[in-house]
Amino acid sequence: MSTANNTFDYNDFAHGGYVSNVLSAARSLLAALFAVNPRATAADEALVSQSNKDSTCTYLSRMADDYEHIAPNLSAELRFMASRG
């Protein structure tokens, strides 16, 4: 296990030859390929995005109420953004 980790972390830039650059690129490619996170399912994404939309709309509406007396145009813009969801 430690040998595999050492191959991904080792960079030999001191010698800077063609082979060294190719090996460094191959190590970087392998590290990128094996560092992929699993993708969330569509149901999880829909649930998270809906809850985020609801909380964002609520936050924008409350902020619009706070700025109603100070900046009515800003308040109208915030309400418009909240209505778009």
Side-chain angles (χ1 to χ4, degrees):
M1 183 74 177
S2 64
T3 306
N5 288 340
N6 289 339
T7 59
F8 290 133
D9 294 336
Y10 177 74
N11 288 322
D12 186 17
F13 294 117
H15 299 293
Y18 177 75
V19 175
S20 175
N21 289 339
V22 170
L23 291 176
S24 176
R27 284 187 211 110
S28 297
L29 176 67
L30 288 174
L33 287 175
F34 292 118
V36 176
N37 292 331
R39 190 164 201 191
T41 62
D44 292 339
E45 289 177 3
L47 180 64
V48 169
S49 66
Q50 185 60 38
S51 67
N52 285 342
K53 285 181 184 179
D54 291 340
S55 65
T56 302
C57 290
T58 304
Y59 179 73
L60 287 173
S61 296
R62 287 181 184 169
M63 193 185 309
D65 292 338
D66 291 341
Y67 286 107
E68 179 66 36
H69 299 293
I70 301 168
N73 290 336
L74 176 61
S75 179
E77 290 280 338
L78 291 171
R79 284 195 182 99
F80 176 70
M81 285 191 286
S83 70
R84 291 178 55 188

